[in-house]
Amino acid sequence: MAKKKQTLEDKLSVKNETAWIGITKAQEKKIHDFSEDYKAFLSKVKTEREAVEFIVAAAKKKGFKPLASYKKLKAGDKVIFTNMGKLAALAVIGKDPIEKGMKVVASHIDSPRIDLKQKPLYEDTDSELALFKTHYYGGIKKYQWVNIPLAIHGVIVKADGKILNVIIGEDPQDPVFIIGDLLPHLSHKAQADRKMPEVIKGEELRIIIGNRPSSDKDAKNKLKLNILEILNKKYGIIEEDLISAELQVVPATGARDVGLDRSMVGGYGQDDRVCAYTSLRAIMEVDKPKKTALALYFDKEEVGSIGATGAQGGFFEMAVGEMLEKAVPNYRYSILKRAMANSRALSADVDAGVNPMFKSVHELGNAAKLGHGIGICKFGGARGKGGSNDANAEFLGELRMLFNKTKVPWQYTELGKVDEGGGGTVARFLSEHNLEVIDCGPPLVSMHSPFEIASKVDIYSSYRAFMEFQKAD
Ligand code: MN
Ligand code: MN
C-alpha cells in the first residue's frame, strides 16, 4: 500500500491513530506469540504469592540469582529479591555506579478479589447449604462476582506451623464455587430498588460450598461438619487452621482471546499483572545496561500500598541499600539517598480505556483508547489532582522522545473527567524518594472486573516501552 502523503495538519497535530495501522507480518507474529505467553501466565497466576513464584522461576532461568549468592556486584550481574513471598524485585547492575541513578519499573501483583474471612465456615439449614463468609479486597463492583465459577487460591498455616498451599477450582476435574444471585422472578421487592453498590451487599458475598450433611448422627451442624470432614481428610486440617490462612477467591476461568479479530486479551487480574508480566519480560532482555535496571513487583496497591509488602513498606530502599553494600567499597547512607534521587521510575499500571457505553466519564481528548499503545499519565488523584504524583514535564519529555525514537506506540491519558472520580498508583510513594516518576501502562476496559480486556498491541507496546526505557542511557 502506498504511504499517504503527510498533510500540514498531520504534521502539526498530536497523532491520534490506532497502533494496528501499518503493522508488518513480522510484528504481527511477535504480538501474537507474546500474547499467547501472556495468556498462559494470566490463566495460571492469580495471586501475589503465585506472581512472586512465577517471577523468581522465570528470572532464575535467565541467570538472575538471589543477592546472597553474590559477594560483590559488578556490571551485568542479575539479582533477585523477595519479601515475605508477596513482593519481588529484579535488578540488572549497570555500567554506571548505582549512585548515578537507576531505571526503575514498578508494577503491582495484587488484584481486586474476594478473601475468605478468618472464621469463614457456616451452614444455613433453611437452604440446606454450607457456605464461606468473605471480606472483599480492593475496589470491586460486588454484583459482578455473583453467578460466575470461582476458584480458591492461598495458604493455610497449620497448628504445627507447616504451610499448606491450596488451589481448588483450576483443574478441569476440580469443583468450582459460586456466589448465588437472586432469581429475577423474585427480585422485585428484595433487590430491584437497591443502588448499584448494594445490588449485592458485602455480607451477601457468600460462597456456596456444600449441600450434603455429614453421616454423623450426633452432629448438630451436619452440613458444616461434612465440609470439615472433607477438609480434614484432604488436607489434615481442623477449623482453627482456617484462622491462620489466607484464602483468596478468584475467577476460575482462564484468559482468552476477545473479538472476532482476536485483537484483545480478556482475563482476570490484568490490573496490574499485565505490567508485571510485560516488565518481567522486558528486564529479562536487559544486559549490561548503562544505568542499573530495577523491576519492582509490589503487593497491596489495591488497598492503598500499605503494609510491609506494599510500596509504602520500605522494601525498595532496603533492596537498593543492600545492593549498594555489595557494589560500593565505602558504602554510606548518603550514597543510597543519592542513588534513589538520581533514579527515574515508571509507575507501571493500567489506565482506563474508553468504554463505548460510558463515554461520558471521560474527556475524550485526553482519554486512552484500546489499540493506541501504552498510555502515559502525568497525574491522577481527585478533586484538583489531590493525592497524585504530578510528574515533571522534563521527564514526560524524555519518555516522549524515547518512545518516538524507538517507535513504541504510545498515547497520552488521564483517568477521567476533572470532577468525575479518581485514583492513585504507587507513583506517589516512589516519588517520596525524591526521584522522577510517571504513570505508564496499557488501557483496560472493564477494569477491576472478573474479566478485564486489553488490546494485544498495547500489551506488546508496554513490553517494548519498559525494555527501551531500561536499555536507554
Ligand atoms: Mn493498578
Ligand atoms: Mn486497580
Side-chain angles (χ1 to χ4, degrees), residues 354-365:
V354 173
N355 177 329
M357 261 61 79
F358 295 98
K359 287 192 276 196
S360 67
V361 302
H362 299 284
E363 183 271 285
L364 290 168

Side-chain angles (χ1 to χ4, degrees), residues 345-347 389-392 395 427-428 430-431 435-439:
L346 302 182
S347 162
N389 164 68
D390 194 354
N392 291 321
F395 191 36
R428 56 187 284 203
L430 298 177
S431 74
L435 47 74
E436 296 276 12
V437 56
I438 192 163
D439 280 299

Side-chain angles (χ1 to χ4, degrees), residues 108 112 271 301-302 349 447-448:
H108 66 92
D271 176 7
E301 193 276 343
E302 296 293 356
D349 208 340
M447 194 194 291
H448 281 207

Side-chain angles (χ1 to χ4, degrees), residues 268-458:
Y268 165 69
Q270 300 204 64
D271 176 7
D272 183 33
R273 288 193 278 268
V274 64
C275 291
Y277 184 76
T278 48
S279 67
L280 169 67
R281 288 282 299 261
I283 199 165
M284 291 190 334
E285 309 268 317
V286 175
D287 261 326
K288 277 200 188 175
K290 187 158 193 292
K291 294 271 188 298
T292 294
L294 183 65
L296 296 164
Y297 307 94
F298 286 117
D299 177 30
K300 296 283 186 288
E301 193 276 343
E302 296 293 356
V303 290
S305 295
I306 41 69
T309 53
Q312 299 193 70
F315 183 79
F316 175 25
E317 194 174 83
M318 194 182 86
V320 177
E322 288 188 327
M323 263 192 323
L324 281 164
E325 279 179 352
K326 295 201 171 183
V328 181
N330 298 308
Y331 170 69
R332 297 179 309 282
Y333 187 61
S334 59
I335 296 180
L336 168 61
K337 296 306 278 182
R338 260 201 304 282
M340 304 292 267
N342 287 332
S343 292
R344 280 163 290 164
L346 302 182
S347 162
D349 208 340
V350 293
D351 345 297
V354 173
N355 177 329
M357 261 61 79
F358 295 98
K359 287 192 276 196
S360 67
V361 302
H362 299 284
E363 183 271 285
L364 290 168
N366 282 278
K369 293 175 195 170
L370 255 54
H372 280 221
I374 188 169
I376 302 178
C377 180
K378 187 173 184 293
F379 50 83
R383 291 170 297 279
K385 303 189 182 181
S388 92
N389 164 68
D390 194 354
N392 291 321
E394 290 86 342
F395 191 36
L396 222 157
E398 180 189 322
L399 277 189
R400 181 186 143 209
M401 213 154 60
L402 174 72
F403 294 164
N404 283 343
K405 195 178 109 194
T406 54
K407 297 196 162 55
V408 172
W410 67 278
Q411 57 183 322
Y412 184 74
T413 176
E414 64 176 14
L415 187 52
K417 271 184 184 163
V418 176
D419 288 329
E420 201 66 42
T425 62
V426 300
R428 56 187 284 203
F429 306 116
L430 298 177
S431 74
E432 287 169 7
H433 298 290
N434 192 23
L435 47 74
E436 296 276 12
V437 56
I438 192 163
D439 280 299
C440 201
L444 298 185
V445 165
S446 301
M447 194 194 291
H448 281 207
S449 81
F451 197 77
E452 303 170 302
I453 315 296
S455 175
K456 288 181 180 176
V457 78
D458 300 340

Side-chain angles (χ1 to χ4, degrees), residues 57 160 191 233 369 425 469:
D160 61 0
Q191 201 181 25
K233 205 170 150 199
K369 293 175 195 170
T425 62
F469 173 69

Side-chain angles (χ1 to χ4, degrees), residues 96-371:
D96 276 2
I98 299 172
E99 189 181 346
K100 292 209 168 165
M102 299 163 288
K103 292 286 195 73
V104 183
V105 179
S107 59
H108 66 92
I109 50 177
D110 61 319
S111 295
R113 59 174 190 258
I114 299 176
D115 289 339
L116 293 196
K117 289 195 185 190
Q118 300 321 113
K119 286 167 69 184
L121 181 59
Y122 78 108
E123 65 174 32
D124 180 81
T125 46
D126 293 324
S127 58
E128 287 293 342
L129 292 170
L131 299 107
F132 276 150
K133 296 174 184 174
T134 69
H135 195 140
Y136 66 95
Y137 171 97
I140 63 167
K141 289 167 112 177
K142 297 183 276 288
Y143 72 83
Q144 294 177 340
W145 293 73
V146 295
N147 298 346
I148 57 167
L150 298 166
I152 297 175
H153 291 227
V155 295
I156 300 169
V157 182
K158 301 214 286 196
D160 61 0
K162 283 208 180 87
I163 296 167
L164 195 72
N165 284 298
V166 177
I167 300 179
I168 315 168
E170 297 293 347
D171 187 293
Q173 303 302 315
D174 281 354
V176 292
F177 311 95
I178 195 154
I179 300 165
D181 198 359
L182 183 56
L183 65 168
H185 316 64
L186 296 178
S187 68
H188 187 67
K189 280 189 198 157
Q191 201 181 25
D193 291 333
R194 292 185 182 185
K195 289 218 162 101
M196 187 274 276
E198 299 222 310
V199 170
I200 297 291
K201 297 178 187 177
E203 288 293 352
E204 290 168 347
L205 289 172
R206 301 240 162 130
I207 318 276
I208 297 173
I209 52 162
N211 170 236
R212 270 183 82 158
S214 162
S215 53
D216 184 317
K217 283 194 208 70
D218 302 327
K220 280 193 239 110
N221 302 297
K222 290 194 172 60
L223 288 159
K224 180 176 168 183
L225 181 62
N226 192 46
I227 298 295
L228 285 173
E229 284 178 73
I230 292 167
L231 291 174
N232 187 259
K233 205 170 150 199
K234 186 155 185 209
Y235 301 110
I237 59 168
I238 58 170
E239 192 178 12
E240 196 181 284
D241 291 320
L242 296 176
I243 294 180
S244 51
E246 280 177 0
L247 294 168
Q248 309 182 358
V249 180
V250 295
T253 39
R256 301 283 296 268
D257 280 348
V258 171
L260 277 173
D261 57 5
R262 295 180 177 266
S263 57
M264 296 161 278
V265 170
Y268 165 69
Q270 300 204 64
D271 176 7
D272 183 33
R273 288 193 278 268
V274 64
C275 291
Y277 184 76
T278 48
S279 67
L280 169 67
R281 288 282 299 261
I283 199 165
M284 291 190 334
E285 309 268 317
V286 175
D287 261 326
K288 277 200 188 175
K290 187 158 193 292
K291 294 271 188 298
T292 294
L294 183 65
L296 296 164
Y297 307 94
F298 286 117
D299 177 30
K300 296 283 186 288
E301 193 276 343
E302 296 293 356
V303 290
S305 295
I306 41 69
T309 53
Q312 299 193 70
F315 183 79
F316 175 25
E317 194 174 83
M318 194 182 86
V320 177
E322 288 188 327
M323 263 192 323
L324 281 164
E325 279 179 352
K326 295 201 171 183
V328 181
N330 298 308
Y331 170 69
R332 297 179 309 282
Y333 187 61
S334 59
I335 296 180
L336 168 61
K337 296 306 278 182
R338 260 201 304 282
M340 304 292 267
N342 287 332
S343 292
R344 280 163 290 164
L346 302 182
S347 162
D349 208 340
V350 293
D351 345 297
V354 173
N355 177 329
M357 261 61 79
F358 295 98
K359 287 192 276 196
S360 67
V361 302
H362 299 284
E363 183 271 285
L364 290 168
N366 282 278
K369 293 175 195 170
L370 255 54

